[in-house]
Amino acid sequence: MRPPTHILVVNGVKVRQPVFVLAAPHSGADLLARAIKRSPGVHLTMGRGAVSRVVYAFARRPSIARSPGAPRVIRDVLAEAWQVVPGACGECPGACKEAGGIIGAGPCVTASELTRFGDASPDLLYSAPVLLQAFPDARFVQVIRDGRDVVADMLADPATMAWFKPHMLADDSEFPSPFLGVNNAEHKLRWKEMPVAGKSALRWRAAIRLSAVLRKELPADQLLTIRYEDLHKSPAETFGQVGEFLGAKISTIALYGTSAPRVGARRRLAHTDAELVGKVAREELKRLGYS
């Protein structure tokens, strides 16, 4: 049984059906978020510092996410992030400002026009169960991308690679670790010795498994799954689906910002890395039709 709905009011607007964008790293959550963020009346944040700290605490310590106070924590930190005041965007990372077309401290939206709130912070996927407890009427949009392309882009991102340093699996680490894709403590040494392409594939595989659980648990009116490749192949149709799902007007024009969706990044993988990714993620790639 779901907990009773907590009525949250931000800038005089009741938070109803907030939108959360979920995906594995480098799977297109930022591209979709950019389009949703620029929809009329929507205030969607992307990686504000306080929100990110909570998200990564939940991701790396699942026991914290399961604690009774977790829904209140994430609800409160999002309520603060959604406040529209002078200088509100000063704490936002560059990607969020760019997506909102903001130069300076903002705000990026007009409080009087607000109708909807949302968030697309990196790695928000690992907080999905807590978000559902905090906002039982939430709407989730998750993006799936070919794991081989994902790994290729992860390998080119220093920020992502920083998560794969050996100390990330310390003696007090919790298992299973969906964030790193390690199932138990016995696999720690194997993970530490594994090439980063394999570690990246483990992260993608674990994220895909979490996404599959959400698809089984959430009704169709609360979760929409789209493919990154469709953002590239048929953006108008894909955004039409998202717009219908959210009841919002979403323009494909916003998709083409600093980086438009593209496919085939896996061509950059070294042969040995491609083989390793195929071995680690074979089951999920096949199940999703990426072959």
Side-chain angles (χ1 to χ4, degrees):
M1 181 180 297
R2 291 183 181 173
T5 302
H6 177 93
I7 299 176
L8 179 64
V9 178
V10 178
N11 280 101
V13 180
K14 289 184 179 180
V15 177
R16 292 192 175 97
Q17 298 183 359
V19 182
F20 299 107
V21 183
L22 314 175
H26 290 283
S27 293
D30 56 331
L31 297 174
L32 180 60
R34 151 187 268 276
I36 296 174
K37 184 177 179 68
R38 295 197 178 189
S39 300
V42 177
H43 186 199
L44 183 140
T45 47
M46 301 168 61
R48 284 176 65 101
V51 177
S52 292
R53 286 190 288 274
V54 171
V55 167
Y56 284 119
F58 289 169
R60 299 193 64 201
R61 295 281 183 180
S63 61
I64 299 177
R66 293 191 295 267
S67 66
R72 185 181 66 184
V73 169
I74 203 161
R75 187 168 53 235
D76 289 350
V77 76
L78 284 169
E80 179 65 25
W82 290 334
Q83 288 290 334
V84 180
V85 295
C89 297
E91 297 181 23
C92 294
C96 188
K97 292 180 182 179
E98 189 278 330
I102 291 297
I103 298 175
C108 60
V109 293
T110 303
S112 61
E113 299 176 352
L114 279 179
T115 59
R116 199 78 171 271
F117 299 88
D119 189 78
S121 294
D123 294 312
L124 194 63
L125 171 64
Y126 306 97
S127 295
V130 187
L131 289 168
L132 188 60
Q133 292 178 61
F135 304 99
D137 64 341
R139 297 297 183 264
F140 298 91
V141 184
Q142 60 182 15
V143 190
I144 303 298
R145 185 187 185 193
D146 189 316
R148 296 163 296 184
D149 287 349
V150 168
V151 171
D153 281 349
M154 289 175 72
L155 293 176
D157 179 10
T160 301
M161 291 296 99
W163 290 112
F164 297 142
K165 295 179 180 179
H167 70 270
M168 289 300 174
L169 275 186
D171 292 337
D172 61 347
S173 296
E174 294 184 10
F175 296 96
S177 172
F179 182 70
L180 294 176
V182 183
N183 293 327
N184 54 62
E186 287 70 30
H187 292 164
K188 278 199 306 181
L189 181 59
R190 186 186 307 173
W191 180 87
K192 291 180 179 181
E193 295 178 344
M194 178 179 281
V196 287
K199 294 176 182 178
S200 299
L202 284 173
R203 275 204 72 186
W204 178 82
R205 185 180 73 178
I208 289 299
R209 290 176 177 177
L210 287 179
S211 297
V213 170
L214 288 177
R215 285 197 297 274
K216 290 181 180 179
E217 294 183 346
L218 289 178
D221 64 347
Q222 278 198 275
L223 175 69
L224 174 68
T225 302
I226 66 171
R227 293 195 181 231
Y228 176 96
E229 292 78 16
D230 289 337
L231 292 175
H232 170 81
K233 181 176 63 176
S234 51
E237 180 182 344
T238 304
F239 279 144
Q241 291 179 318
V242 177
E244 182 178 357
F245 173 72
L246 297 178
K249 184 178 180 181
I250 301 176
S251 172
T252 58
I253 297 175
L255 176 65
Y256 300 100
T258 56
S259 59
R262 57 190 185 278
V263 298
R266 59 185 175 275
R267 289 191 293 267
R268 301 197 309 265
L269 290 174
H271 179 70
T272 54
D273 287 342
E275 283 191 334
L276 180 57
V277 173
K279 180 179 179 180
V280 171
R282 180 181 296 112
E283 180 181 336
E284 282 68 30
L285 288 168
K286 181 178 180 181
R287 177 167 57 83
L288 293 171
Y290 293 122
S291 57

